[in-house]
């Protein structure tokens, strides 16, 4: 694992450079995106680079990690709506090249179809991750098997509490989600994980220095050959 401790703004700039280099070298790169607060600074940088003519996503393809079950893609808190608003509508990626799991269809066929689409696109070149306070990556909560592929997950109470800030009340936070599995994430050729703030410090230390164990889903990343962690000093304080 490569660890880079820097400010959130600098991390976003450095990571945007990696996207620029990747898309120069491979215009039709397959990008794995994440939602939540953490990627927003990077998305702002990618939008800025696009506006300056430094980067183009015209031939890129994207797959998002997860989506709330039961939310229509037009629901303002759906991850599809989040991506459209914070990135896709502001860069030149064709909407039909963007994929977010379908929260309205949680059938086994739909889970397999998401995996099949990733495979058909040639696999993910660069997967972006945040980390939950409980160590989740995507919505793979503690205890998720390391060999899991796209599946329906029951969200833990801590995850629902953490995400309640986006909804008008905790009761509105969905109880389930569709998420790429741990194996899906591990199949990506390269992975970038961002973590910021003291609330992530303990779990970052467990993921980086603790045993590789399903109770800390992110610990599996120790076994991936190309992972870069961008941490701010607060998130890195127990390393
Ligand atoms: C989001 C996702 C989650 C978040 C994590 C951190 O698509 O899969 O794993 O990355 O919950 O969320 P933030 O960035 O809001 O702290």
């Amino acid at each position: 694992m490569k660890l880079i401790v820097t400010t959130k703004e600098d991390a976003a700039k450095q990571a945007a450079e990696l996207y620029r280099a990747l898309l120069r070298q491979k215009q039709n790169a397959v990008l794995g995106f994440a939602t939540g607060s953490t990627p927003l600074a990077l998305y702002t940088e990618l939008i800025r680079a696009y506006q300056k003519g430094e980067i183009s996503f015209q031939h890129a393809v994207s797959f998002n990690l997860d989506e709330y079950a039961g939310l229509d893609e037009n629901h303002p808190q759906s991850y599809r709506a989040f991506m459209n608003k914070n990135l896709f509508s502001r860069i030149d990626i064709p909407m039909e090249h963007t994929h977010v799991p379908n929260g309205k269809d949680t059938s086994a066929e739909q889970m397999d179809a998401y995996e099949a689409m990733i495979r058909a696109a040639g696999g993910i070149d660069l997967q972006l991750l945040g980390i939950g306070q409980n160590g989740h990556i995507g919505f793979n909560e503690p205890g998720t098997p390391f060999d899991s592929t796209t599946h329906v997950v029951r969200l833990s109470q801590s995850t629902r509490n953490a995400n309640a800030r986006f909804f008008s009340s905790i009761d509105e936070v969905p109880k389930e989600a569709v998420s790429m599995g741990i194996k899906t994430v591990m199949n990506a050729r390269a992975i970038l994980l961002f973590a910021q703030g003291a609330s992530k410090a303990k779990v970052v230390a467990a993921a980086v220095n603790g045993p590789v164990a399903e109770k800390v889903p992110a610990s599996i990343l120790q076994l991936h050959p190309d992972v870069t962690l961008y941490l701010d000093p607060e998130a890195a304080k127990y390393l």
Side-chain angles (χ1 to χ4, degrees):
M1 281 175 149
K2 187 170 159 195
L3 266 63
I4 298 175
V5 181
T6 185
T7 61
K8 170 174 154 178
E9 293 72 25
D10 183 55
K13 286 203 173 83
Q14 286 194 38
E17 253 329 292
L18 298 179
Y19 282 82
R20 200 147 69 115
L22 172 63
L23 286 163
R24 282 234 173 107
Q25 184 207 332
K26 186 177 179 186
Q27 288 187 1
N28 61 349
V30 180
L31 307 175
F33 286 129
T35 56
S37 307
T38 313
L40 287 173
L42 170 63
Y43 294 163
T44 301
E45 281 303 320
L46 294 178
I47 293 163
R48 190 173 301 153
Y50 161 67
Q51 287 169 343
K52 287 206 255 165
E54 294 169 356
I55 195 169
S56 171
F57 298 85
Q58 224 179 337
H59 302 286
V61 175
S62 77
F63 289 90
N64 260 78
L65 282 168
D66 39 23
E67 177 61 283
Y68 288 117
L71 292 197
D72 184 81
E73 62 173 37
N74 296 315
H75 188 290
Q77 297 312 334
S78 74
Y79 283 171
R80 162 54 81 179
F82 176 101
M83 291 307 298
N84 288 355
K85 175 168 169 241
N86 292 300
L87 187 65
F88 298 153
S89 66
R90 299 161 74 187
I91 56 175
D92 61 346
I93 192 165
M95 273 300 172
E96 64 275 17
H97 289 196
T98 69
H99 304 88
V100 178
N102 179 356
K104 293 294 270 183
D105 182 351
T106 54
S107 64
E109 292 74 27
Q110 198 58 34
M111 304 301 117
D112 292 347
Y114 203 65
E115 290 288 325
M117 281 193 290
I118 294 173
R119 274 197 305 275
I124 294 171
D125 291 300
L126 183 57
Q127 178 65 54
L128 178 63
L129 297 175
I131 183 170
Q133 288 172 33
N134 62 5
H136 73 211
I137 47 175
F139 270 142
N140 295 292
E141 301 286 34
T144 305
F146 282 156
D147 63 355
S148 51
T149 52
T150 300
H151 60 140
V152 179
V153 299
R154 189 147 192 91
L155 297 176
S156 70
Q157 198 52 41
S158 75
T159 297
R160 293 184 68 236
N161 290 341
N163 289 5
R165 65 191 194 278
F166 299 112
F167 293 82
S168 37
S169 80
I170 181 79
D171 299 331
E172 280 185 27
V173 184
K175 295 195 166 73
E176 290 187 331
V178 176
S179 178
M180 281 185 197
I182 306 251
K183 187 171 164 194
T184 326
V185 170
M186 287 295 282
N187 279 342
R189 287 178 196 97
I191 296 176
L192 300 182
L193 184 145
F194 281 66
Q196 291 135 13
S199 67
K200 305 285 172 77
K202 265 194 195 150
V203 81
V204 163
V208 173
N209 291 329
V212 175
E214 287 176 355
K215 66 177 191 212
V216 183
S219 63
I220 189 73
L221 299 174
Q222 293 177 30
L223 305 183
H224 192 283
D226 189 352
V227 178
T228 306
L229 267 64
Y230 286 100
L231 308 172
D232 75 353
E234 285 286 287
K237 70 179 175 182
Y238 297 133
L239 289 177

